[in-house]
Amino acid sequence: MRAGKIAAVAALGLGVMLLGGCDMLDQQQKWEPQEDAAISIDEDGVITEYVKDTLDESYYSASELENMITSDVADYKSKHGENTVQVKSYEASEDGKVRLEMEYATADDYAAFNNVEFYSGSMINAQLEGYLFDGSFKKVKNGVVQGSNVSGSEVVKKMAAEVLIVTAPLEVHVPGKVLYTTSNAEVLASDDVNATGKTAEEADDTGLELPSKQVYMGEEKSFDEKAAASRVYIIYE
């Protein structure tokens, strides 16, 4: 009886360990982006960038590109600190396909190194920095868009939420659940957004582009208007 009881307890313990191991594997499973340009941000604000591209060998080779990236990273570190930017991996295949993964200590490092607009922080600080939340927003629950678009006045009521403001096109993975995005983005999952920079109507407009079309659409957008159109807000908690 005693030996059977010990065996049963041991078997139960092994089952718990196996289940625990599965949970740990699930938690540690690495996010894989769907798009060629993507970032993920963790709870500490560290940003990982993922880039997939195909080289045009007439401009530069894979080794030349790697040397260029290494040089740019070294230059940035010399001015901003050793742990600000890291090349996590660089892979190049014989057919010219390149995969790059980089890590940035802060949102400011990502913005400065890539020379792009990028904000990560609280709702209040975003407004203090001049972001107006004056566009049209999608409401999201569990990765699904809810109903019709809402105004920014509803969005800013979520004062405890975090905000990412990125320049499209870029896939974005956040450490929480997405609550809202501007209408120029596609919700892929509860924590994953494809910041396309295009509304659903613009994404569907794949017709023939005629030179005369600009006459009906009005004058070409200014630099500021183009920047605003490619700016994507992602609000999450």
Side-chain angles (χ1 to χ4, degrees):
M1 181 70 69
R2 181 179 177 83
K5 186 175 182 180
I6 292 174
V9 171
L12 178 62
L14 178 60
V16 171
M17 289 175 65
L18 289 172
L19 288 173
C22 290
D23 289 340
M24 290 177 65
L25 286 174
D26 288 340
Q27 293 171 6
Q28 294 173 1
Q29 187 174 6
K30 188 177 180 180
W31 173 69
E32 289 291 341
Q34 301 178 35
E35 301 298 320
D36 291 343
I39 63 163
S40 66
I41 180 167
D42 69 16
E43 293 179 350
D44 297 322
V46 176
I47 296 164
T48 305
E49 179 184 24
Y50 308 85
V51 179
K52 292 184 291 185
D53 203 354
T54 301
L55 291 176
D56 184 343
E57 293 286 347
S58 64
Y59 286 96
Y60 43 73
S61 66
S63 60
E64 288 173 331
L65 176 60
E66 184 175 17
N67 291 337
M68 188 188 309
I69 295 169
T70 301
S71 176
D72 289 346
V73 168
D75 181 62
Y76 188 89
K77 285 182 176 183
S78 69
K79 297 173 182 176
H80 300 91
E82 180 62 27
N83 297 320
T84 52
V85 182
Q86 310 288 337
V87 177
K88 302 295 289 183
S89 66
Y90 179 87
E91 301 174 6
S93 60
E94 292 182 358
D95 58 359
K97 295 186 183 301
V98 172
R99 295 174 66 96
L100 171 68
E101 185 175 327
M102 296 184 64
E103 187 176 274
Y104 304 84
T106 67
D108 289 341
D109 290 314
Y110 177 85
F113 185 85
N114 292 287
N115 193 28
V116 294
E117 180 180 12
F118 190 87
Y119 171 84
S120 176
S122 68
M123 182 76 73
I124 294 176
N125 285 336
Q127 293 176 79
L128 290 175
E129 291 199 19
Y131 292 106
L132 301 177
F133 293 82
D134 56 352
S136 177
F137 288 80
K138 298 176 181 180
K139 187 174 183 179
V140 183
K141 183 176 181 181
N142 297 325
V144 179
V145 176
Q146 306 292 302
S148 57
N149 291 351
V150 299
S151 67
S153 59
E154 175 179 327
V155 175
V156 295
K157 293 177 183 178
K158 290 286 186 180
M159 298 304 292
E162 293 293 303
V163 184
L164 270 177
I165 302 172
V166 304
T167 302
L170 187 69
E171 185 181 354
V172 181
H173 181 257
V174 299
K177 290 187 176 181
V178 175
L179 303 176
Y180 298 93
T181 73
T182 36
S183 58
N184 57 348
E186 177 187 4
V187 179
L188 301 178
S190 62
D191 55 1
D192 194 1
V193 172
N194 186 12
T196 62
K198 295 182 179 181
T199 63
E201 292 77 13
E202 291 170 331
D204 289 339
D205 184 12
T206 57
L208 179 63
E209 183 77 23
L210 299 174
S212 60
K213 189 175 181 181
Q214 200 60 247
V215 174
Y216 300 99
M217 294 179 65
E219 296 182 0
E220 186 177 353
K221 291 181 179 179
S222 67
F223 176 82
D224 288 341
E225 288 172 329
K226 289 179 179 178
S230 63
R231 187 180 298 132
V232 178
Y233 292 61
I234 302 168
I235 296 87
Y236 66 96
E237 65 178 3

